[in-house]
Amino acid sequence: MSGGLAAVSGIGETIYARGVSERSSLALQLEAGLRAVRDAGLQPADIDGILPMATGSALAEDFIQNFGIRDLRLSATVPMGGASAVASLQLACAAVGAGICRHVLLVAGRDGRGGA
């Protein structure tokens, strides 16, 4: 994008359920990430920035391997407690606005095993 502009182009969610999920946190994040990519009209390999949840178990390498990402330009976690989601969105916008990335995926998810 030019002119320092960025936009949320897709979102993805998994089913919400009470209690412990039969699926891992990583599996839930991969599913939600793939849904967001498809919602944006993109292919998984189009992603060139990954911002996984700082307190989660997913790493950029998990998305590189599962999505077939060939040109990752940015990977970071933003450990700011309750402000992490907003700060990650700000970082993604800055990366797109600066021309570092074209499509940054922000992922978060929990499987209920943490007790929270």
Side-chain angles (χ1 to χ4, degrees):
M1 299 186 88
S2 62
L5 301 176
V8 174
S9 58
I11 60 167
E13 297 179 291
T14 60
I15 302 256
Y16 291 88
R18 291 180 187 252
V20 177
S21 173
E22 296 295 319
R23 299 171 55 215
S24 70
S25 177
L26 174 59
L28 293 168
Q29 291 179 57
L30 289 168
E31 179 184 336
L34 185 57
R35 288 181 180 194
V37 169
R38 289 183 176 153
D39 187 53
L42 301 171
Q43 296 297 314
D46 294 330
I47 301 301
D48 57 2
I50 302 279
L51 299 177
M53 184 172 83
T55 59
S57 59
L59 303 172
E61 288 82 5
D62 296 316
F63 292 90
I64 291 169
Q65 181 178 8
N66 287 282
F67 285 12
I69 296 170
R70 295 178 303 274
D71 187 22
L72 190 68
R73 297 173 180 219
L74 172 71
S75 171
T77 57
V78 182
M80 292 183 65
S84 294
V86 171
S88 293
L89 187 56
Q90 291 171 327
L91 176 57
C93 289
V96 170
I100 297 166
C101 297
R102 291 182 43 84
H103 307 289
V104 181
L105 179 64
L106 285 71
V107 291
R110 295 187 180 147
D111 59 9
R113 289 180 177 84

